[in-house]
Amino acid sequence: DKLYVHNSSFDLGVMERAGYPICGGKIRDTMIMGWLLDENSPVNLGDLAFRYCNKKKLDFVIKGKVPQAADPETKEYVIQDTRLCLELGELFEWKLKSQGLLPLFEKIDMPFRRIMDSCTNHGVCVDLEKLEIATTQVTEKVEAIKKKYAEQTPPINIDSPKQVWKTLYYFPQNVHRQKDGTPKTDEKTLSSVREDLLKPEAK
């Protein structure tokens, strides 16, 4: 009663354009599930399969050859994709449920994905005047924050991850880091270590 799909926007879009729309609340996008569990890592099917199932995904595109439905390689690829989506989907659903994230996925992420897919396929009306007003307001707020930190001593460019992490010179050892070992400075990472950064020994 559940349909696990990786990157549902693409697959279901192909089905809809072919005249076979798939609707319903039982669709589970394993790409969105993977992102919810770890937004700092790649969420393509190959990376997720290797990271969570220790399985290497087959290559689909063969140089100089157009894939044909009747080819054994194409069949094997499709079968493996199907199995990986099912395996990852069941695993991710359990993980989301255990972390209390399943309601967020079911009630926010998947319904929002369907709205965005509809906008992509059919277009959307935009009130340009209101959009321009909102853009101006947000831009002014952002520029005010940038100016505030640029006037510090020494000045800080908050658009520079390097300057931000050097300013916040204390980071817990288990914080998410880049490949070169420097701490990540995205909102989720900084929020996760906020209490540690505010401790007296961190100053």
Side-chain angles (χ1 to χ4, degrees), residues 53-69:
C53 305
N54 197 29
K55 294 181 179 179
K56 187 174 181 180
K57 185 174 177 294
L58 298 172
D59 290 327
F60 181 46
V61 178
I62 302 174
K63 288 184 178 180
K65 181 179 179 181
V66 178
Q68 301 293 326

Side-chain angles (χ1 to χ4, degrees), residues 100-162:
L101 295 172
L102 192 58
L104 173 64
F105 172 74
E106 292 180 332
K107 297 179 181 180
I108 302 295
D109 283 315
M110 283 309 301
F112 183 70
R113 168 52 64 92
R114 288 192 288 273
I115 291 173
M116 293 304 297
D117 290 345
S118 178
C119 293
T120 300
N121 295 328
H122 307 292
V124 60
C125 294
V126 177
D127 187 323
L128 292 179
E129 185 177 350
K130 288 185 177 179
L131 181 61
E132 289 176 0
I133 293 173
T135 300
T136 300
Q137 291 174 341
V138 172
T139 301
E140 288 176 351
K141 289 181 180 180
V142 171
E143 291 303 319
I145 294 173
K146 287 182 180 181
K147 182 179 179 182
K148 173 184 175 181
Y149 286 96
E151 293 175 348
Q152 300 284 332
T153 305
I156 304 169
N157 176 12
I158 62 173
D159 282 333
S160 169
K162 187 175 182 180

Side-chain angles (χ1 to χ4, degrees), residues 63-80:
K63 288 184 178 180
K65 181 179 179 181
V66 178
Q68 301 293 326
D71 289 344
E73 298 92 344
T74 304
K75 292 180 180 179
E76 187 178 1
Y77 175 89
V78 172
I79 290 172
Q80 189 202 44

